[in-house]
Amino acid sequence: MSAQSLLAGPVRSATPHTALDPAPADPDLAVPPGAGLALLLATIGFALNCWAWALLSPLGPVYVERGLAPDAALLVAIPVVVGSLGRIPVGALTDRYGGRILFPTIALLSVVPVLFIGLVGQYTYATLLVGGFFLGIAGTTFAVGIPYVNSWFPPGRRGAALGVFGASMGGTAIGAFTTVPLLTSAGERAPFLVTASALVLYAVLALLLLPTSPTWTPARRSIVAATSSALRLMITWQASYLYAVSFGGYVAFSVFLPTMLNTWYGLPSAEAALRMAGFVLVAVLLRPLGGVLSDRSGAASTLMVSYVPVLLGALVIAAHPPLMPVGTIAFLLIAAGLGLGSGAVFALVAQVTDSSAVGAVTGVVGAAGGLGGFVPPLVMAAILARTGTYAPGVVLLAAATVGALVITRALAGRARGR
């Protein structure tokens, strides 16, 4: 399914609606010229930054095997937490300065830690941690793209557009497919040099081609005021929990699954990384569908559907079944549900948030999603060390999913009662 067909599909009209699941705007409302280019460049930008952001994930087991790190959990988690917390100020900065400035700026800033790790930082644990900390800068790009894309599309098209943009989280799959093969075939510096080159090229293209939406106006509030205002909105906290489960779960699996498969199932690093890439691919393909269904059926309803396969898959994985075929099917069920839910959460945010505050709200919600990916790898490593199995940690995912279902059910019920 192409991005064009996703954005041009039919939308609901002339039906009662609520603030939570409003009917999309008039389908005859034209998308402004340049929207397609803006969406394409924003999607490429986030994909490349995701590639950089997740570079250490497939290399974690390699560094453990070399004796550079006691385990991969902290190494792969640090970029996640920095990139997540960094989304809060970056989202507010995007409201004020716009995506045309922030996209190339963050791409160029991300080149620095990529080259640091590749050239000098990958030889000791301490320098890997320092490099990983600053690698988190790349993860803040998400808080640039959501308000930027949101400004280009009318309400009835935003879910699909944001779903297409969000699918660029599949940039982590680029790293999964290429990092270890590049390291083994072209040398230990090759993955970092290739990634840095891609970021520089994108920054140049963004500076030359990235357009500014005709509907966008810069926010005048300070970063502190914008963030404080976002924190006072109930939808910010509700969406933060839902995104912590959906996108946080995706991030957690994308950074920790190679280690989990290596430790729990004995897969070699290269095969574990490829299986992680398959997990990422399924989630990425389902994220645009989450946005499309949110435009047509409502974000809350789509979220309810999305969490069911996550819950079922987690309960199966907790029993530690054989990887083929039961475990693989369960992992893919989780991936599908997490991708669908990730697309629906920001469709909900775009539907109920004033356009001038989308960046600030996105920053907070995006931070919650990233932090939802930071905590599980550390918890899983601690649980394995204490119990010798990952099963209790997977049960915690199932419990968190039940909580998401309860919150979403309450949101949908409140909407029907209005």
Side-chain angles (χ1 to χ4, degrees):
M1 182 179 292
S2 67
Q4 182 178 1
S5 64
L6 286 172
L7 298 176
V11 296
R12 296 178 299 154
S13 62
T15 56
H17 59 278
T18 68
L20 278 173
D21 281 333
D26 183 356
D28 294 329
L29 182 60
V31 175
L37 177 63
L39 178 58
L40 175 64
L41 290 175
T43 301
I44 293 173
F46 185 44
L48 294 178
N49 278 278
C50 273
W51 177 10
W53 191 31
L55 266 177
L56 293 181
S57 174
L59 293 174
V62 175
Y63 294 138
V64 172
E65 291 170 3
R66 292 180 179 178
L68 292 175
D71 62 69
L74 183 61
L75 191 61
V76 301
I78 281 183
V80 174
V81 70
V82 174
S84 303
L85 293 175
R87 291 175 179 181
I88 297 176
V90 167
L93 283 170
T94 304
D95 282 338
R96 188 161 189 174
Y97 297 107
R100 190 179 188 283
I101 293 176
L102 270 295
F103 264 121
T105 298
I106 292 176
L108 290 175
L109 288 175
S110 300
V111 170
V112 177
V114 170
L115 290 179
F116 170 78
I117 298 172
L119 299 179
V120 300
Q122 61 174 313
Y123 305 108
T124 70
Y125 188 48
T127 51
L128 278 171
L129 292 178
V130 171
F133 179 91
F134 289 100
L135 199 61
I137 294 171
T140 65
T141 318
F142 183 76
V144 178
I146 292 292
Y148 177 74
V149 172
N150 183 78
S151 70
W152 276 100
F153 291 88
R157 304 285 186 240
R158 282 177 186 157
L162 294 173
V164 171
F165 167 77
S168 55
M169 66 186 186
T172 56
I174 301 175
F177 279 119
T178 64
T179 301
V180 175
L182 276 173
L183 181 144
T184 56
S185 64
E188 57 194 12
R189 295 182 176 182
F192 302 93
L193 294 175
V194 172
T195 306
S197 299
L199 289 172
V200 171
L201 178 60
Y202 171 76
V204 173
L205 290 176
L207 285 170
L208 294 174
L209 301 176
L210 201 65
T212 297
S213 169
T215 66
W216 178 77
T217 55
R220 300 300 179 187
R221 294 179 298 175
S222 68
I223 296 175
V224 174
T227 303
S228 297
S229 178
L231 291 172
R232 289 194 294 269
L233 298 174
M234 180 60 69
I235 187 60
T236 301
W237 296 101
Q238 293 165 334
S240 291
Y241 180 83
L242 298 177
Y243 203 56
V245 174
S246 56
F247 183 72
Y250 162 80
V251 172
F253 274 105
S254 66
V255 300
F256 194 71
L257 190 56
T259 300
M260 185 178 182
L261 293 174
N262 178 267
T263 304
W264 219 15
Y265 287 100
L267 296 184
S269 298
E271 184 177 349
L274 288 175
R275 286 180 177 269
M276 183 271 278
F279 181 97
V280 167
L281 183 62
V282 171
V284 165
L285 292 176
L286 268 291
R287 182 159 181 158
L289 180 60
V292 172
L293 292 177
S294 296
D295 283 343
R296 300 180 183 182
S297 303
S301 300
T302 303
L303 283 167
M304 287 292 294
V305 171
S306 73
Y307 292 124
V308 173
V310 178
L311 176 60
L312 295 176
L315 292 175
V316 171
I317 293 297
H320 195 189
L323 188 57
M324 291 298 294
V326 178
T328 298
I329 293 172
F331 278 123
L332 294 180
L333 273 176
I334 294 172
L338 295 177
L340 196 67
S342 296
V345 170
F346 275 99
L348 176 63
V349 171
Q351 289 170 358
V352 302
T353 305
D354 185 85
S355 60
S356 65
V358 168
V361 174
T362 293
V364 176
V365 176
L371 290 174
F374 166 73
V375 176
L378 300 179
V379 172
M380 295 289 274
I383 287 174
L384 179 68
R386 181 175 292 272
T387 67
T389 177
Y390 287 120
V394 183
V395 170
L396 289 177
L397 170 62
T401 306
V402 171
L405 282 166
V406 171
I407 290 175
T408 308
R409 177 77 176 182
L411 290 173
R414 193 190 320 164
R416 287 193 297 269
R418 291 185 178 182

